[in-house]
Amino acid sequence: MEHFDRITQEPGVMGGRACIRGMRVTVGMVLNLIGAGRSVEDILADYPYLEREDILQALRYAAWRAEEREVRLVGA
């Protein structure tokens, strides 16, 4: 399992969604910004409290969560 020291999940923060360092910035928000064509530099300029590694780790976390795993069925 990956080590995600910048990704936090707390029931009282953003409904328990994965956030960046306990802030009210979700991994999903970062992904939506990148998906909309924003660069890492754009995001850092708009959110000066974020660090480059926050964004990169959000991307790695999302990739880890989305990874498909093959499960072999018994008798298959």
Side-chain angles (χ1 to χ4, degrees):
M1 181 171 136
E2 287 274 340
H3 177 68
F4 300 106
D5 60 340
R6 293 174 178 258
I7 308 300
T8 57
Q9 286 185 281
E10 300 172 32
V13 178
M14 300 301 286
R17 289 183 282 173
C19 293
I20 306 296
R21 292 186 286 126
M23 294 184 279
R24 300 181 76 74
V25 177
T26 65
V27 169
M29 185 196 84
V30 171
L31 295 175
N32 283 325
L33 290 170
I34 290 173
R38 304 296 303 278
S39 69
V40 171
E41 290 74 25
D42 291 340
I43 296 169
L44 292 173
D46 289 344
Y47 301 89
Y49 42 86
L50 290 178
E51 300 171 4
R52 177 174 299 279
E53 184 57 29
D54 294 330
I55 296 169
L56 297 177
Q57 196 167 109
L59 289 168
R60 288 193 305 271
Y61 176 80
W64 175 74
R65 292 288 306 209
E67 183 178 83
E68 293 184 38
R69 290 180 168 81
E70 182 179 329
V71 177
R72 294 187 184 262
L73 301 175
V74 176

